[in-house]
Amino acid sequence: MAGPPPLPRPSRTPWAVAAAAAVVAILTAGALYVFHSVRRLPSDVIEGSRQALRDLREVAAAFRTGTVTTVFHGYATQVTGTTRLQFAELREEERFERRDSEAVLWGTFALPDVVVEATAPVAYTYYLDLDKEWRFRLDGKDVLVAVPLVEWNRPAVDVSALRYEVREGSVFRDEQVVVDRLRAELTPLLDRRAREHVPLVREAGRRKVEAFVETWLVQRFADGRDYRARVVFGDEPAAATPRAPALPSPSG
């Protein structure tokens, strides 16, 4: 008597085999990716940290190599178009007076004085010479800048508004001679007045030069935004006695 027929084996259709292979491939690729990422993570972090450290040391490195002054000079000359950094302009209504005395008879008889006055709008422009010595020093996050003495261009007189007036005259004197003498003295008088006005523009100039240096730091160095400029003019006490550089150590 014949026994029962054998049970049919489950069929392996092509799509089932392909699906299983795909699952295995996905799991394998995922494991390899995780393993690869874990292996690369420390080196990526270390390299990123090194790059960040290099960026943070850019300003300090420039000070160590002594390139700061040269690089700044090139930048400032390029921006201003000249070797002068003009930082302030002052406009004033100026008044100059001349009292002229004269005597006759070998000085025994004094004639009446003649007083003449000149008035005019005058523009004074002040600048720093980039060809002269600029000293930079790094102090923590401060860039100390000792700049040259303040200089000025020849004062610009509005000739169209220049007026001469005889304040005190005399029939015994030639008043035009006194006016001509005052006219001849205007150039040295204006130069002296420009020097007297320096205190009026000093603080405004300090702020403008500090902003100029800070803009240069940001444009030139990756970490330049972290530093602040402090300007000292050449005739101020702090500029006469510069301290030794205070730079961070290479391992800091």
Side-chain angles (χ1 to χ4, degrees):
M1 182 173 183
L7 296 175
R9 292 183 179 183
S11 62
R12 294 178 178 269
T13 58
W15 67 266
V17 175
V23 169
V24 172
I26 292 172
L27 293 176
T28 303
L32 290 175
Y33 175 78
V34 171
F35 177 74
H36 182 69
S37 299
V38 170
R39 289 190 60 191
R40 286 183 52 85
L41 181 60
S43 62
D44 289 346
V45 171
I46 292 173
E47 181 58 29
S49 300
R50 287 176 179 171
Q51 182 60 44
L53 188 58
R54 285 195 293 267
D55 290 345
L56 291 175
R57 288 180 174 176
E58 272 200 71
V59 172
F63 273 86
R64 287 194 194 95
T65 57
T67 61
V68 171
T69 301
T70 302
V71 174
F72 176 78
H73 180 274
Y75 167 83
T77 304
Q78 180 182 11
V79 171
T80 62
T82 67
T83 59
R84 295 179 175 183
L85 177 60
Q86 183 171 311
F87 65 85
E89 180 177 297
L90 178 66
R91 294 182 178 272
E92 290 284 325
E93 181 74 21
E94 296 288 15
R95 177 176 288 103
F96 300 99
E97 182 182 278
R98 176 182 173 88
R99 178 177 293 272
D100 194 272
S101 301
E102 197 171 283
V104 294
L105 299 177
W106 302 280
T108 59
F109 182 73
L111 297 176
D113 289 348
V114 172
V115 179
V116 296
E117 183 180 80
T119 58
V122 182
Y124 302 93
T125 54
Y126 295 86
Y127 66 89
L128 299 174
D129 193 338
L130 294 169
D131 281 339
K132 294 187 176 178
E133 184 181 18
W134 287 60
R135 297 197 305 276
F136 290 78
R137 183 171 65 83
L138 189 63
D139 186 6
K141 291 296 184 180
D142 290 335
V143 176
L144 308 183
V145 188
V147 301
L149 293 174
V150 176
E151 300 181 62
W152 51 89
N153 296 313
R154 183 175 180 178
V157 181
D158 185 352
V159 180
S160 65
L162 178 60
R163 298 289 182 270
Y164 291 94
E165 180 183 356
V166 178
R167 300 290 302 277
E168 297 180 22
S170 172
V171 295
F172 301 102
R173 303 285 306 279
D174 186 345
E175 298 166 352
Q176 185 58 43
V177 172
V178 182
V179 171
D180 292 340
R181 288 172 181 170
L182 177 58
R183 181 181 289 109
E185 294 175 351
L186 275 185
T187 297
L189 287 173
L190 287 166
D191 187 74
R192 186 179 70 186
R193 193 62 59 88
R195 183 183 304 276
E196 294 171 351
H197 289 327
V198 168
L200 297 179
V201 301
R202 185 187 298 273
E203 291 310 312
R206 192 192 311 276
R207 301 285 85 80
K208 187 167 184 178
V209 175
E210 287 174 347
F212 188 84
V213 173
E214 289 173 2
T215 299
W216 166 68
L217 289 171
V218 171
Q219 294 184 3
R220 180 62 179 80
F221 302 103
D223 55 338
R225 197 177 300 276
D226 299 330
Y227 293 81
R228 290 293 174 265
R230 288 170 50 196
V231 168
V232 179
F233 288 101
D235 56 350
E236 294 178 324
T241 56
R243 295 176 292 173
L247 300 177
S249 63
S251 60

